[in-house]
Amino acid sequence: MTPHDNNARHTDMAGKRPMISTAAVVRDVRDRIASQALLPGSRIPEEDLAQHYGITRAKAREVLATLEDRGLVERVPNKGAVVIPVDMSTTYQLYEVREALDSLSVRLAMQNATPDDWRELEQWLGPPFEQSLRDGDIEAHVDTIMRFRDRLTQLAANPILSDLFERIYDRTRVTMRRVALLPGRADMGIKQYRDLLAAMMRNDVDAADRCVRELNSSAREYIQRYKDYLL
């Protein structure tokens, strides 16, 4: 495992060796769980975590406590910290909450976005967005969606909203990638995201809210229809 955030490394007060922040370790483990480099049911021993990242046992416990708080691991007697399996019922409920947060994020972003912001978002959802799907590069396709969503959250400029989104994405990123592979879902999503952006650029709050509901409700329908495949 190689920490993703090299900038998080710093030198300790004695100047003897590079250190890595607790937050950077949390981000790296979160990414590994989302990409399934750490599979559901995998154990994350405190001692191994401390040794791999070069952190103290106390910091390793802090990392595991944060991951537990985010619903990514659970403490199991005689096993320690274990990656929580994907629960489709919970995932469905998370998508319901995401819809409400999406509506708020979109409204706030519409208030704060500049013409340059709209142009940037249009480029992201332009021909390359569709081409990545045609090329079978589902990772690039989903990454564009995540960048688009992250940018709207940034434009919303609400730290509490950002934290809530981050917690939901931590627990749904695996499902998002699997849903994108389902028959017809990605093509539908391209149109839905473009319709949403168009409504936002027109400053049509009602239309944007309808787009948010349509996007999320169709995702939930796919989750329900293909739940056996997604598990």
Side-chain angles (χ1 to χ4, degrees):
M1 291 189 293
T2 301
H4 294 166
D5 189 354
N6 291 327
N7 292 328
R9 289 186 176 275
H10 59 277
T11 302
D12 63 12
M13 292 183 66
K16 293 180 179 179
R17 64 183 181 86
M19 304 278 286
I20 183 169
S21 70
T22 303
V25 176
V26 170
R27 283 196 297 272
D28 194 65
V29 179
R30 281 168 48 204
D31 287 345
R32 289 178 57 76
I33 292 173
S35 66
Q36 292 201 310
L38 284 171
L39 292 170
S42 299
R43 293 179 62 245
I44 308 179
E46 180 184 298
E47 184 177 355
D48 290 358
L49 194 67
Q51 182 177 2
H52 176 79
Y53 288 100
I55 57 178
T56 65
R57 291 286 291 269
K59 281 194 173 184
R61 285 193 292 274
E62 184 181 343
V63 168
L64 293 175
T66 301
L67 295 171
E68 184 177 26
D69 178 62
R70 289 180 173 272
L72 296 175
V73 305
E74 60 181 341
R75 307 295 180 96
V76 179
N78 302 318
K79 285 189 176 181
V82 176
V83 178
I84 294 178
V86 175
D87 179 327
M88 293 315 301
S89 176
T90 301
T91 299
Y92 189 92
Q93 293 167 351
L94 287 167
Y95 269 72
E96 289 179 321
V97 174
R98 190 185 78 168
E99 180 177 323
L101 297 180
D102 277 347
S103 293
L104 176 58
S105 178
V106 163
R107 288 197 299 272
L108 293 175
M110 289 169 67
Q111 295 173 13
N112 298 329
T114 67
D116 285 342
D117 293 324
W118 295 133
R119 281 191 289 271
E120 179 183 42
L121 292 170
E122 271 192 305
Q123 289 178 349
W124 290 358
L125 298 187
F129 181 44
E130 198 165 0
Q131 189 59 45
S132 63
L133 182 61
R134 302 290 170 258
D135 292 341
D137 191 348
I138 198 66
E139 286 299 317
H141 186 76
V142 174
D143 284 347
T144 298
I145 293 174
M146 292 300 298
R147 277 202 305 154
F148 178 82
R149 286 181 159 278
D150 287 345
R151 186 67 182 124
L152 292 188
T153 305
Q154 291 171 5
L155 290 171
N158 185 310
I160 295 175
L161 179 64
S162 297
D163 180 67
L164 292 172
F165 264 130
E166 193 173 81
R167 289 171 179 267
I168 287 178
Y169 287 149
D170 277 348
R171 301 174 66 183
T172 58
R173 282 166 66 183
V174 172
T175 306
M176 285 180 67
R177 281 167 167 75
R178 291 180 180 178
V179 168
L181 291 169
L182 296 175
R185 175 57 198 157
D187 285 307
M188 180 186 297
I190 289 172
K191 180 180 184 305
Q192 289 172 338
Y193 276 106
R194 287 174 174 172
D195 287 347
L196 171 59
L197 179 58
M200 293 178 69
M201 292 178 67
R202 296 195 308 270
N203 200 33
D204 189 335
V205 176
D206 291 338
D209 197 53
R210 285 195 300 272
C211 289
V212 166
R213 291 198 302 270
E214 179 183 345
L215 196 157
N216 282 280
S217 64
S218 63
R220 291 196 304 272
E221 288 172 8
Y222 268 81
I223 290 172
Q224 187 65 34
R225 191 186 315 168
Y226 293 96
K227 59 183 178 182
D228 293 336
Y229 167 80
L230 292 171
L231 284 173

